[in-house]
Amino acid sequence: MIDKETREQIIKLVHQEVVPAIGCTEPMCVALCTAKATERLGQRPTHITALLSANILKNAMGVGIPGTGMTGLPIAIALGALIGKSEYQLEVLKDLTPDALEQGKQFISEGRIDIQLKRGIKEKLYVEMIAEADGRQEKAIIAGSHTHFVESGEFLEERAESSEERGTIPLNLRLVYDFATTAPLDEIRFIEETRTYNMNAAREALKGNYGHNLGKTIDRPMSKGIFGNSIYCHIISRTASACDARMGGAMIPVMSNSGSGNQGICATNPVCVYAKENENTEEELIRALMLSHLTAIYIKQSLGALSALCGCVVASIGSSVGITYLMGGDYGRICASVKNMVANLTGMICDGAKPSCSLKITSGVSTALLSALLAMEGKCVSSSEGIVDDCVDRCIHNLTSIGANGMGPTDEMVLNIMTSKGC
């Protein structure tokens, strides 16, 4: 049993990283920062300047903004200024009304918003909003994580903070496993809330036509003729549906993980569907969900909040670990599932938040199931293959080193392609 102080630190970390969010977290982060700058100004701005890191721009360009029928940053910024409340955090726009939407559209049409790339910074998650009115201006800056407000200049240079300096406990997979499987159930029962939010998002998606309708397509008779009416089919459908709704602009809150709603969905729904269909106990589900979410948090500690590596790779590793546990897998089998995942999905790029993220999530979850099954059969990719290492933690850090450091030029090229397309 892990000591009480360590358990409390881990629980605090999970509460920090697993939080509700409405819509894609990057434009919501920008809206949140806009709301804070406006609150400091004390009146409605007449002009707003946004200075954003490349990764924020990339992830906010093509995604639907909940309740608006619109995509991208301008409407998120306008509504952040007009009706946003910083106390709502990543649910900053939940007071949206039809009248406010019309005012937001007018704010955009009057040319009151200026969006620029922030030069001279290495921090991947950086949002600087300047609100102006009557010759006055106020500024707000978010950096490092989606709700972390900082003072000017604090993140102008990249900082190599340790987990201890950020106030979080440094994790390893053994600690993650031991905590999730031995912590008193009442201490971790709160993680069930992820099921409430994210499975509800999947159900709500079926009431409309969001994104590419991938989840609904997999549920249709033709798809069942291909995939069958199987646990696999149900897992893919429920996970993709929630992503369809979120990326398509549905006014549906989801429980995010490490600043990403899609990661939260991907770490939750496959585990919930498998547990239900496999008739696992409530305790097994709670521990599997904690294992999945905490594994994703652990991987993100060395990868960073935003990177060139698609977040579904991280969250799918979490769900593979959770499903392996639900299959009866011990720590050794769970390590095998992680190594199988790293051997397969490494290199999947992030080309921004958008409706087609559901396709990438489907690829990740499919691999999660395959990796778990192989692990339960005693099959594990060996250290003589690719970037896989005998030590599971080194294996994970090999993956995150590629995503955080090796894929930097890829990130720049992706953004260049996205911003120079004729459409």
Side-chain angles (χ1 to χ4, degrees), residues 376-388:
M376 293 305 294
E377 289 290 321
K379 303 296 183 183
C380 178
V381 176
S382 71
S383 60
S384 64
E385 303 174 67
I387 67 167
V388 173

Side-chain angles (χ1 to χ4, degrees), residues 241-252:
S241 290
C243 181
D244 284 335
R246 179 173 175 270
M247 293 288 96
M251 200 70 173
I252 302 170

Side-chain angles (χ1 to χ4, degrees), residues 322-393:
I323 290 170
T324 303
Y325 172 79
L326 292 172
M327 289 177 172
D330 58 9
Y331 180 68
R333 294 286 198 275
I334 281 169
C335 289
S337 72
V338 171
K339 293 177 184 180
N340 293 339
M341 288 293 292
V342 171
N344 192 333
L345 282 186
T346 299
M348 183 184 288
I349 65 166
C350 170
D351 55 343
K354 59 209 174 301
S356 60
C357 284
S358 59
L359 291 165
K360 293 192 176 189
I361 278 184
T362 298
S363 298
V365 174
S366 299
T367 305
L369 288 162
L370 178 61
S371 297
L373 284 170
L374 281 174
M376 293 305 294
E377 289 290 321
K379 303 296 183 183
C380 178
V381 176
S382 71
S383 60
S384 64
E385 303 174 67
I387 67 167
V388 173
D389 196 291
D390 285 329
C391 170
V392 69
D393 293 300

Side-chain angles (χ1 to χ4, degrees), residues 218-219 223 226-239 270 273-274 277 323 361-370 373:
I218 294 169
D219 260 344
S223 299
I226 298 171
F227 297 114
N229 192 19
S230 61
I231 296 178
Y232 169 81
C233 180
H234 299 161
I235 286 174
I236 297 298
S237 173
R238 301 304 178 268
T239 308
V273 175
Y274 185 88
E277 304 222 5
I323 290 170
I361 278 184
T362 298
S363 298
V365 174
S366 299
T367 305
L369 288 162
L370 178 61
L373 284 170

